[in-house]
């Protein structure tokens, strides 16, 4: 297969795939089974591009769940725009190294244009800025390292002490996982799945032993919990952090897109006082994987924490080579300019289209809530929050929820999974894709009868 033929094949697949708004809802198979069907694919002479691509199209992609399926309402789905997907191909084809302005200036310029819009949504001061990361986990880690380094810089007493951070039981699992990476302790405010307020944070701080209080270097609040879309009371939490002189991080990996939605923007009041914020464009800003973002009120702290020094990195002499170096503000050195697909799509469509698409997700959650209220066999457990609704099928056991999920998935109809809410197994919708229809919701609710 020559280059032109291969390119045409790839483009044909890509165009077909992104034009298809209800792609086949694949499901996983055991590795042995996949191997039995496709055979070993890595051989001394290669199996040929045509053959490998055919195996991918006929077998392997069908063992994946397309996250943009309109009836994929599980976890946090996604719905990358066609423009962003096409530009993801362009990003790869352009071979841009995204660590330093010297090599990546044009690409980083694009990323920074998109970032400027993201920062403007937060209300942080003009001096705030951010950088695209591989996802929310890497963004949270980058922010936590910056917070910890800043705390250690303030006092030599802190240098050999293990840090401690406070968060709530609604925080994403990545907060605890990344605390492990930086060898910090986590104290969890158990708020029975409801939002935390400044008063609760204050109480939690006062309950710390004196030596632990001294180790407290950051508070992580959530701007849209992944499970229920709950936003902590950011304004009052910010005040407590300010009084305590503790870094205030807001994890909006899922909810960040909603900063663009006028109908709910007030729920995020206080976010403009954050020291750092995580937003995942690959969740609710219609970017392909992977694209997260971390924003800092003061980039200096991020630079102190992340800037890498090395003999071979010190050649940036001419003026054009001076500029924003993404490597200085997050954990990676070599990086894809992964904000470029978002940039192109934003530039093409304009920010209003984004606002509308995000508002639609919020509206779909309200519509679903109303439909649940009108149905006999289901009831709302928690009214919609951002684009999440929790509801129960009357009289179902946890196993019945699981059976229902598998039945819908195996038949290729929908992927909707249960979750746990206040210790009860319940059903959960998370809307992202603006192409999800009311009819989709009706049919899914009917599948629970
Ligand atoms: C999804 C999510 C994360 C993790 O982000 P990844 O992109 O999966 O690494 C962190 N925090 C919250 C609130 C999330 O919803």
């Amino acid at each position: 297969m020559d280059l032109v033929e291969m390119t045409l094949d790839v483009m044909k697949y890509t165009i077909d795939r992104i034009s298809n708004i209800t792609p086949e809802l694949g499901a996983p198979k055991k590795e042995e089974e996949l191997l039995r069907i496709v055979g070993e694919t890595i051989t001394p002479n290669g199996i040929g591009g045509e053959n490998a691509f055919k195996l991918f199209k006929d077998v392997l992609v069908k063992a994946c769940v397309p996250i943009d399926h309109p009836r994929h309402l599980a976890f946090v789905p996604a719905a990358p725009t066609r423009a962003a997907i096409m530009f993801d191909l362009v990003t790869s084809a352009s071979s841009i190294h995204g660590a330093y302005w010297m090599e990546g200036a044009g690409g980083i310029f694009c990323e920074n244009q998109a970032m400027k819009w993201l920062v403007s949504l937060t209300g942080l001061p003009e001096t705030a800025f951010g950088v695209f990361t591989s996802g929310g986990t890497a963004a949270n880690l980058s922010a936590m390292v910056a917070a910890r380094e800043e705390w250690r810089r303030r006092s030599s007493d802190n240098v050999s002490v293990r840090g401690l951070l406070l968060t709530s039981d609604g925080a994403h699992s990545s907060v605890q996982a990344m605390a492990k990476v930086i060898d910090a302790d986590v104290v969890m405010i158990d708020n029975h799945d409801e939002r935390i307020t400044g008063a609760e944070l204050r109480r939690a701080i006062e309950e710390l032993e004196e030596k632990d209080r001294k180790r407290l270097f950051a508070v992580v609040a959530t701007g849209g919990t992944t499970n229920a879309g709950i936003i902590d009371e950011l304004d009052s939490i910010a005040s407590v952090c300010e009084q305590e002189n503790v870094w205030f991080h807001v994890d909006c990996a899922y909810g960040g897109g909603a900063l663009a939605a006028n109908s709910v923007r007030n729920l995020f009041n206080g976010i403009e006082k954050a020291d750092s914020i995580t937003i995942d464009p690959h969740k609710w800003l219609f970017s392909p994987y992977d694209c997260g973002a971390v924003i800092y009120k003061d980039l200096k702290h991020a630079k102190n924490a992340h800037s890498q020094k090395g003999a071979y990195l010190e050649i940036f002499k001419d003026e054009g080579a001076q500029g924003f170096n993404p490597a200085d503000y997050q954990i990676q050195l070599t990086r894809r300019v992964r904000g470029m697909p978002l940039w192109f799509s934003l530039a093409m469509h304009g920010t209003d289209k984004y606002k509308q698409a995000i508002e639609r997700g919020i509206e779909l959650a309200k519509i679903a809530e109303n439909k649940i209220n009108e149905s006999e066999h289901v009831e709302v457990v928690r009214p919609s929050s951002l684009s999440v609704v929790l509801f129960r099928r009357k009289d179902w056991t946890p196993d019945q929820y699981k059976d229902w999920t598998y039945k819908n998935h195996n038949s290729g109809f929908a992927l909707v999974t249960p979750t746990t809410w206040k210790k009860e197994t319940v059903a959960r919708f998370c809307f992202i894709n603006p192409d999800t229809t009311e009819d989709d919701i009706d049919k899914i609710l009917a599948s629970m009868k």
Side-chain angles (χ1 to χ4, degrees):
M1 190 158 52
D2 68 9
L3 176 65
V4 173
E5 220 180 307
M6 192 180 81
T7 309
L8 290 175
D9 254 27
V10 167
M11 291 315 292
K12 181 175 180 319
Y13 169 85
T14 306
I15 292 164
D16 283 351
R17 173 61 181 84
I18 65 179
S19 312
N20 182 3
I21 62 163
T22 47
E24 196 176 315
L25 194 65
K29 281 187 166 56
K30 284 210 164 111
E31 188 177 1
E32 303 92 89
E33 200 181 342
L34 289 176
L35 187 60
R36 189 179 53 72
I37 304 170
V38 305
E40 289 296 350
T41 54
I42 304 303
T43 65
N45 295 318
I47 61 169
E50 203 173 343
N51 192 10
F53 198 21
K54 189 166 167 16
L55 292 174
F56 175 76
K57 285 186 288 195
D58 292 350
V59 183
L60 300 171
V61 76
K62 294 182 180 167
C64 305
V65 178
I67 44 111
D68 57 342
H69 191 288
R71 288 186 298 276
H72 179 332
L73 306 177
F75 317 114
V76 178
T81 66
R82 292 177 191 127
I85 292 167
M86 293 312 289
F87 218 72
D88 208 44
L89 302 183
V90 175
T91 303
S92 287
S94 306
S95 289
I96 301 167
H97 191 288
Y100 291 105
W101 189 262
M102 182 193 171
E103 284 198 297
I108 296 165
F109 177 86
C110 297
E111 287 196 310
N112 287 358
Q113 288 270 292
M115 182 57 72
K116 209 155 99 182
W117 179 63
L118 282 190
V119 175
S120 75
L121 297 176
T122 65
L124 281 168
E126 294 262 301
T127 47
F129 210 64
V131 61
F132 293 100
T133 64
S134 61
T137 304
N140 283 342
L141 175 59
S142 298
M144 281 155 62
V145 173
R148 200 265 322 270
E149 292 303 292
E150 166 54 12
W151 167 72
R152 289 207 166 137
R153 194 195 54 78
R154 284 204 310 250
S155 163
S156 56
D157 290 350
N158 298 339
V159 171
S160 55
V161 177
R162 201 179 155 113
L164 180 146
L165 66 84
L166 261 173
T167 189
S168 75
D169 54 358
H172 189 263
S173 52
S174 62
V175 173
Q176 268 189 303
M178 293 307 100
K180 242 185 245 170
V181 172
I182 65 167
D183 202 24
D185 290 320
V186 177
V187 169
M188 206 62 106
I189 302 174
D190 179 3
N191 203 32
H192 313 289
D193 290 336
E194 295 297 345
R195 72 173 188 167
I196 52 166
T197 62
E200 274 140 1
L201 173 63
R202 157 111 355 259
R203 197 172 324 129
I205 292 175
E206 275 159 13
E207 279 171 9
L208 292 175
E209 284 179 37
E210 187 52 32
K211 68 173 191 338
D212 286 338
R213 199 159 164 172
K214 284 199 184 124
R215 300 197 293 138
L216 178 63
F217 73 94
V219 168
V220 179
T222 310
T225 60
T226 323
N227 202 27
I230 297 169
I231 300 159
D232 289 332
E233 198 180 82
L234 303 178
D235 204 37
S236 60
I237 293 171
S239 304
V240 176
C241 289
E242 202 177 334
Q243 286 152 16
E244 294 287 317
N245 199 13
V246 173
W247 186 287
F248 175 36
H249 178 67
V250 187
D251 181 1
C252 300
Y254 151 62
L259 289 167
N262 296 342
S263 67
V264 293
R265 179 59 181 81
N266 65 316
L267 300 175
F268 292 88
N269 286 350
I271 196 170
E272 70 284 354
K273 296 175 187 156
D275 291 292
S276 54
I277 299 170
T278 290
I279 299 176
D280 262 357
H282 67 205
K283 280 183 175 156
W284 211 354
L285 286 167
F286 316 107
S287 291
Y289 296 138
D290 40 23
C291 186
V294 57
I295 297 170
Y296 303 93
K297 186 195 281 173
D298 187 344
L299 276 177
K300 180 176 79 230
H301 301 318
K303 194 166 181 177
N304 288 341
H306 294 292
S307 182
Q308 299 190 27
K309 310 232 166 2
Y312 76 102
L313 295 176
E314 315 233 321
I315 50 151
F316 311 142
K317 272 183 83 175
D318 75 285
E319 243 176 61
Q322 309 287 331
F324 185 83
N325 296 322
D328 286 345
Y329 308 105
Q330 43 77 48
I331 58 172
Q332 268 184 294
L333 183 64
T334 300
R335 63 182 281 282
R336 179 181 178 78
V337 270
R338 53 168 53 84
M340 281 204 0
L342 174 65
W343 165 76
F344 181 73
S345 183
L346 272 171
M348 175 171 160
H349 294 299
T351 55
D352 282 352
K353 278 262 166 54
Y354 273 71
K355 283 173 184 273
Q356 287 156 18
I358 294 157
E359 290 284 11
R360 181 63 184 163
I362 295 165
E363 190 178 37
L364 282 165
K366 291 224 171 74
I367 291 169
E369 182 190 327
N370 290 337
K371 286 179 183 296
I372 293 162
N373 278 330
E374 288 159 12
S375 304
E376 274 296 310
H377 64 303
V378 284
E379 61 194 1
V380 169
V381 170
R382 191 171 195 285
S384 69
S385 192
L386 297 181
S387 66
V388 179
V389 196
L390 302 179
F391 61 105
R392 109 173 26 92
R393 163 65 167 82
K394 290 178 191 164
D395 305 323
W396 265 11
T397 63
D399 272 344
Q400 284 175 294
Y401 283 100
K402 272 191 201 154
D403 292 346
W404 162 73
T405 294
Y406 278 101
K407 186 163 168 272
N408 280 342
H409 190 187
N410 291 336
S411 67
F413 165 59
L415 184 62
V416 187
T417 46
T419 188
T420 308
W421 176 254
K422 299 190 196 275
K423 305 204 168 93
E424 179 189 351
T425 299
V426 299
R428 171 178 172 276
F429 284 148
C430 180
F431 296 96
I432 296 283
N433 191 337
D435 289 331
T436 301
T437 63
E438 293 196 30
D439 187 50
D440 289 329
I441 300 170
D442 286 335
K443 285 188 173 132
I444 293 169
L445 292 176
S447 75
M448 301 179 98
K449 276 198 173 137

